[in-house]
Structure formats: C-alpha cells, structure tokens
Amino acid sequence: MHIVIMGCGRVGSTLAHILEDKGHTVAIIDQSPEAFRRLRGGFKGRRITGFGFDRDVLVEAGIEQASAFVAVSSGDNSNIISARVARETFGVENVVARIYDPRRAEVYQRLGIPTVATVRWTADQMIRRLLPEGVSSLWRDPTGEVVLAEVQTDPKWIGAKVSALEEAAKTRVAYLSRMGEALVPTGDTVIQDGDVVHVMAPSGDLARINDAVSQRPDQKVE
C-alpha cells in the first residue's frame, strides 16, 4: 500500500520506518524541513515540505494513489482538517487522526474520522497500571454504547471453561491475552493461569460483568 503521513515528529517518523519495513511505500509531510532529520538515512519514501491540508501538497505526496492517510502533527485542528480533506476530497477511506483533546476526539469520531486521543490513552494506560483491579476500557464505538474491556477475574476461574464464565457473566468473551499473544476462544477453551480476559459488551453492563467475574465460579451471581 501507499500511505501518506502528516507530521514528521517522533510518532510520524516511527510510523514511517515501521510501514516501510513492512514493504509499504510512504510519503511524509511536514511544514518544517528540519523535521525530516528524524528519518533514518536509508529512508526511501518521499519527503514533502508543506501543510497536510494543502491539496497540492497532498497530491505531491501521492494521496490520489494512497490506501491510507495518517495525521499525527502537533496540532489538533491541522490533523482533523487534513484528515477530512483526505477522506472527503480524495476519497481515502482508511484515515486516522491524532487528537490531544479527548472531548474533540469524541466529536470527530461521530463525524466518521477515527481518532487516537493521546492524552486520554496515556492516562488510561497509567490508571491500568496503578489500579489494575476492576474493568479497564480498551475501546469504545463512536456512540459510546459498546465497549471492549479487560476484566479482572477471580483466580478460582483458572481451569474453568470460557463458556462457564460467559454464562455466569451473561456476556461474550472477545479474546484472551495468553503469554503475550491474543487468543480467540471457543466455549471449550479452558482459562489458564495468567490469562487476561477481554469482553465485548454494552457499556452499561460493565459493572455487573465485573461483579460476576470477580467472584468464584461456585458463588451465586445476581
């Protein structure tokens, strides 16, 4: 694929290197020529000086052939404007923008622009490490109604089948994290020591689900 990146900061340059290593062609845009110094000497992609929401700049970057567009500059407004130009003017379907203000992120998600709200994401990751108990929301759909969440299970669930946990919690286990890898379970999959359980559920059900899985399998779940 050809991928256009706006912003050659630490995130943009890292993405450019990773994508190129995976065999994709990359064009990276930044308003400062000095920013391209972050790119390694062997980088083969295009370096375009300019603004990512400038149509001529985007055309020079190959946006008309691009399969994806990423906006990771330091400005929320620039990221969103350029993402909308890429999608609405050039028809790029796979578009994502970095947003520092999580309140704006929710608005733009509803407009159909996938966003990564870095401040909120970082805070959530910190909270997960400081307060590991309970439910940790990993993803929400744009409406906020459906959540992918990590739940903390009672150790007594080790050795039980996933189907038993699903029945007790009245929910669906989306996947397990096992020894650093993701595993999509069947009902007969047995929960092992160290497994991290992730559920997909309505956001309003998370408290109930957490109460259920934090109890021993032989306890009655209300």
Side-chain angles (χ1 to χ4, degrees):
M1 297 193 302
H2 180 60
I3 300 166
V4 177
I5 300 172
M6 186 190 83
C8 193
R10 286 176 294 180
V11 174
S13 58
T14 300
L15 281 173
H17 294 152
I18 292 172
L19 291 167
E20 188 173 73
D21 288 344
K22 290 182 177 293
H24 303 294
T25 61
V26 179
I28 189 161
I29 302 167
D30 201 286
Q31 60 181 321
S32 172
E34 300 297 318
F36 299 126
R37 292 183 177 180
R38 293 188 176 91
L39 297 170
R40 63 193 176 196
F43 179 69
K44 299 177 181 178
R46 304 182 214 173
R47 302 168 174 85
I48 296 95
T49 302
F51 295 95
F53 46 81
D54 185 305
R55 296 183 184 184
D56 291 336
V57 169
L58 287 170
V59 169
E60 184 181 353
I63 194 69
E64 293 168 313
Q65 295 79 42
S67 299
F69 177 81
V70 183
V72 288
S73 76
S74 59
D76 283 3
N77 290 337
S78 296
N79 287 341
I80 281 300
I81 292 171
S82 61
R84 294 193 67 179
V85 171
R87 169 167 288 179
E88 297 170 12
T89 302
F90 294 100
V92 181
E93 294 185 5
N94 193 4
V95 172
V96 64
R98 178 174 66 177
I99 301 297
Y100 286 92
D101 185 345
R103 295 169 298 180
R104 289 184 177 185
E106 293 176 0
V107 173
Y108 293 127
Q109 290 270 62
R110 288 175 170 81
L111 291 175
I113 300 293
T115 59
V116 177
T118 54
V119 174
R120 176 60 180 272
W121 184 87
T122 302
D124 283 347
Q125 294 299 306
M126 290 292 185
I127 291 295
R128 289 181 61 205
R129 285 158 177 76
L130 292 170
L131 306 171
E133 297 81 9
V135 178
S136 298
S137 176
L138 303 178
W139 173 88
R140 290 178 183 269
D141 81 306
T143 69
E145 297 295 324
V146 179
V147 179
L148 175 65
E150 174 187 318
V151 295
Q152 298 296 319
T153 56
D154 187 283
K156 296 290 186 180
W157 283 102
I158 296 172
K161 290 184 178 181
V162 165
S163 58
L165 186 145
E166 290 180 328
E167 175 62 25
K170 301 296 188 291
T171 191
R172 179 64 60 86
V173 174
Y175 70 97
L176 303 175
S177 292
R178 177 174 293 175
M179 300 186 68
E181 296 186 356
L183 168 67
V184 178
T186 67
D188 291 331
T189 300
V190 174
I191 299 171
Q192 298 181 9
D193 187 17
D195 283 356
V196 179
V197 177
H198 300 82
V199 301
M200 184 74 77
S203 57
D205 288 356
L206 288 182
R208 176 189 59 76
I209 292 169
N210 187 60
D211 287 343
V213 301
S214 63
Q215 300 181 72
R216 298 193 308 273
D218 56 348
Q219 285 183 300
K220 182 179 180 181
V221 179
E222 299 295 337

